[in-house]
Amino acid sequence: SQKIEQNSEALNIQEGKTATLTCNYTNYSPAYLQWYRQDPGRGPVFLLLIRENEKEKRKERLKVTFDTTLKQSLFHITASQPADSATYLCALDKDGGATNKLIFGTGTLLAVQP
Amino acid sequence: DTGVSQNPRHKITKRGQNVTFRCDPISEHNRLYWYRQTLGQGPEFLTYFQNEAQLEKSRLLSDRFSAERPKGSFSTLEIQRTEQGDSAMYLCASSLGDRGEGYTFGSGTRLTVV
């Protein structure tokens, strides 16, 4: 069956450390993968996209990697701050680039302690 | 243009009543998506439109659910004969529809069926 899995347990880290979140998928062949941030009671906010032919993407303190062999994406936040505390969702295109329709993981809650 | 707007933000209804939600996407976006999210889960795909055409409906969307996007602008999602299991956050998103374009989500409509 098709699955997208993210760390189900909350990730607690100290301010200033690097947070690493994992997204694994099975039985999909996505053309790209996206990461979103969601705060309580709000809609997700788009952060980064990485395509199947890209190994790594960076934006300010954020870095995403994409390994299509392992079927895994890693999302890193360097020099983390309490304001980074939120749920982070990975999403991939279900139809291999044909429709831009996204399927989301369950999300990982990140808590950055001051 | 201030982003994707959803109304109402909250709706409490009695079981068996009909409810309708509205989504106003970013004006130049031709793709519009509806998702449903329950506590602790990622958004689940319901349906999407390209302009006024409804291209796909999830099997999650029973016959009690209907969505429209007249003239390819705003969209409505109607739930008839609501059930307690319909209680969730209903999220609308829009995108330009280009390959890999990130979604812009609204803040959602929180439905509670009592």
Side-chain angles (χ1 to χ4, degrees):
Chain A
S1 63
Q2 294 175 313
K3 282 193 293 187
I4 304 173
E5 293 179 315
Q6 296 187 249
N7 317 53
S8 56
E9 293 181 8
L11 181 63
N12 291 286
I13 63 166
Q14 284 297 120
E15 182 175 7
K17 301 291 187 186
T18 296
T20 298
L21 285 67
T22 304
C23 177
N24 295 296
Y25 60 92
T26 53
N27 294 322
Y28 285 109
S29 296
Y32 51 83
L33 190 144
Q34 301 184 7
W35 284 88
Y36 289 76
R37 169 186 172 136
Q38 187 172 27
D39 291 289
R42 311 293 296 182
V45 175
F46 172 70
L47 295 175
L48 276 172
L49 173 148
I50 186 164
R51 299 188 188 279
E52 60 182 333
N53 59 348
E54 297 174 320
K55 295 280 191 214
E56 182 179 299
K57 205 76 165 289
R58 291 176 185 262
K59 179 183 175 183
E60 298 172 352
R61 294 185 295 111
L62 308 180
K63 185 179 86 170
V64 174
T65 62
F66 191 12
D67 189 325
T68 55
T69 302
L70 290 178
K71 296 188 183 296
Q72 180 182 78
S73 175
L74 299 178
F75 177 80
H76 307 270
I77 305 175
T78 58
S80 59
Q81 304 165 0
D84 295 327
S85 298
T87 295
Y88 291 86
L89 299 158
C90 74
L92 53 82
D93 75 296
K94 178 181 181 295
D95 300 314
T99 63
N100 200 35
K101 185 179 79 181
L102 294 179
I103 302 299
F104 285 81
T106 53
T108 297
L109 178 62
L110 172 67
V112 181
Q113 310 297 333
Chain B
D1 201 341
T2 56
V4 177
S5 176
Q6 290 190 249
N7 287 290
R9 288 295 313 275
H10 304 275
K11 179 71 177 178
I12 300 174
T13 191
K14 291 184 178 179
R15 193 174 53 186
Q17 297 293 304
N18 299 344
V19 294
T20 300
F21 311 140
R22 178 178 170 124
C23 172
D24 288 272
I26 291 174
S27 55
E28 60 264 30
H29 285 181
N30 58 0
R31 293 263 178 116
L32 186 147
Y33 309 82
W34 285 99
Y35 284 78
R36 179 171 66 188
Q37 187 174 27
T38 53
L39 201 60
Q41 301 298 312
E44 294 177 295
F45 171 79
L46 294 179
T47 188
Y48 84 105
F49 294 83
Q50 168 127 345
N51 300 313
E52 67 274 12
Q54 187 173 20
L55 296 187
E56 186 174 341
K57 285 175 61 170
S58 165
R59 280 171 288 181
L60 291 174
L61 222 60
S62 75
D63 291 344
R64 297 183 297 105
F65 287 71
S66 62
E68 293 183 340
R69 193 183 182 197
K71 302 177 183 177
S73 56
F74 71 92
S75 176
T76 57
L77 178 68
E78 181 183 16
I79 310 174
Q80 295 181 326
R81 304 181 304 283
T82 52
E83 302 172 356
Q84 286 190 318
D86 297 331
S87 295
M89 174 78 89
Y90 289 84
L91 293 163
C92 174
S94 67
S95 77
L96 275 171
D98 292 330
R99 185 172 172 268
E101 177 79 14
Y103 288 8
T104 302
F105 279 89
S107 293
T109 294
R110 168 76 65 192
L111 174 66
T112 303
V113 182
V114 297

